[in-house]
Amino acid sequence: LSLRLLPLGAEMLRKLVCSCCLVNACAFILQGNTALCTSCKSDSLPFQSRSAASPSMVSRRVLVAAASGAAIGINTHTAVYASQDPKDLTRLNKGLADVNYLLDNWEKETTNPNSGNQDPDRVRLFLGLRTTTSPLFQVEKLLVKAQDQVRDDDFEKWIAAVEGWNSHLNKVNELAYTSSFGEYNPGGGKDQVAKYLELARAEVLLCRDSLKDLIALLPL
């Protein structure tokens, strides 16, 4: 697959640098140190530890939040300045409803209503990858805030669900994008479009499963 390299704006570059510093700081904490990197003085560091949690659990929550924060900082498929309320947990159930609707109406929703051709890029609409109005737009920020409401006993499951969601979402993004150009690539055609679109559908199913797991671990 070919990768697109997009120019980094000043704000995105700042987020990338701060995220790298934050990940280094978390590694420093996990080694038993208490000093934090002071080069990142953002007012929106993507974590808050629970005062009642054990030091090891706090460190792990910090590390998970840092990793998610790094993903936010270098996410190039979303608008830099647009966002939704990162504390509104109802967005997860709304997003799940959108994903279920897409799967239940797959053929209709992945077909261009004007040309009648398959339109793989429409898949990304339902997963928050194209529009700022989707409840799953920049859902990474919401998951960072939500992790403080996860019980310590369930935190391993939370980590697995977040990792699953991120992995399958990235694959959907790649497959939908590749499928969009399948007809024009050498040796391509409508069969290639259909092939990659079906692969994307399999990843959407796994996204839905991960999203269900995340919702089940939260007090919704």
Side-chain angles (χ1 to χ4, degrees):
L1 300 180
S2 60
L3 296 178
R4 295 178 298 170
L5 296 179
L6 302 179
L8 290 176
E11 177 66 12
M12 187 172 293
L13 183 59
R14 183 192 70 79
K15 288 183 177 181
L16 179 59
V17 172
C18 287
S19 297
C20 291
C21 291
L22 185 56
V23 170
N24 287 334
C26 292
F28 199 58
I29 292 173
L30 290 176
Q31 292 173 355
N33 298 293
T34 56
L36 287 176
C37 170
T38 58
S39 61
C40 297
K41 296 184 179 180
S42 169
D43 292 332
S44 57
L45 289 179
F47 66 86
Q48 281 187 325
S49 61
R50 292 181 184 176
S51 59
S54 67
S56 60
M57 182 59 68
V58 169
S59 298
R60 295 185 64 195
R61 289 178 184 271
V62 166
L63 186 57
V64 171
S68 299
I72 295 168
I74 60 176
N75 193 351
T76 59
H77 62 245
T78 55
V80 174
Y81 296 106
S83 64
Q84 293 195 40
D85 184 357
K87 297 180 181 179
D88 182 10
L89 296 182
T90 64
R91 288 170 50 197
L92 295 178
N93 276 317
K94 292 175 183 177
L96 178 60
D98 283 353
V99 174
N100 280 326
Y101 176 82
L102 170 63
L103 290 169
D104 291 341
N105 300 274
W106 184 261
E107 185 173 350
K108 172 186 174 183
E109 293 303 327
T110 57
T111 300
N112 188 300
N114 297 318
S115 67
N117 296 326
Q118 287 183 309
D119 188 357
D121 201 47
R122 289 178 58 83
V123 174
R124 300 169 68 240
L125 283 170
F126 293 86
L127 291 167
L129 297 173
R130 277 189 54 186
T131 65
T132 62
T133 57
S134 168
L136 295 178
F137 176 73
Q138 291 187 341
V139 73
E140 303 96 333
K141 293 182 178 180
L142 177 61
L143 297 180
V144 168
K145 297 290 185 182
Q147 75 165 16
D148 284 339
Q149 300 191 42
V150 178
R151 296 192 321 152
D152 290 345
D153 291 345
D154 291 332
F155 201 63
E156 290 287 346
K157 296 177 182 178
W158 175 261
I159 292 175
V162 170
E163 289 178 348
W165 166 261
N166 288 333
S167 175
H168 299 309
L169 184 67
N170 287 334
K171 289 178 181 177
V172 169
N173 199 30
E174 294 171 5
L175 289 167
Y177 177 78
T178 302
S179 182
S180 297
F181 295 94
E183 190 172 354
Y184 307 104
N185 290 333
K190 292 186 177 180
D191 289 345
Q192 286 296 100
V193 174
K195 171 187 173 182
Y196 282 105
L197 188 55
E198 184 59 25
L199 290 173
R201 188 177 77 87
E203 292 297 331
V204 172
L205 283 166
L206 294 173
C207 275
R208 181 187 64 180
D209 292 343
S210 294
L211 189 54
K212 284 182 176 180
D213 291 341
L214 290 168
I215 291 172
L217 293 170
L218 292 170
L220 298 179

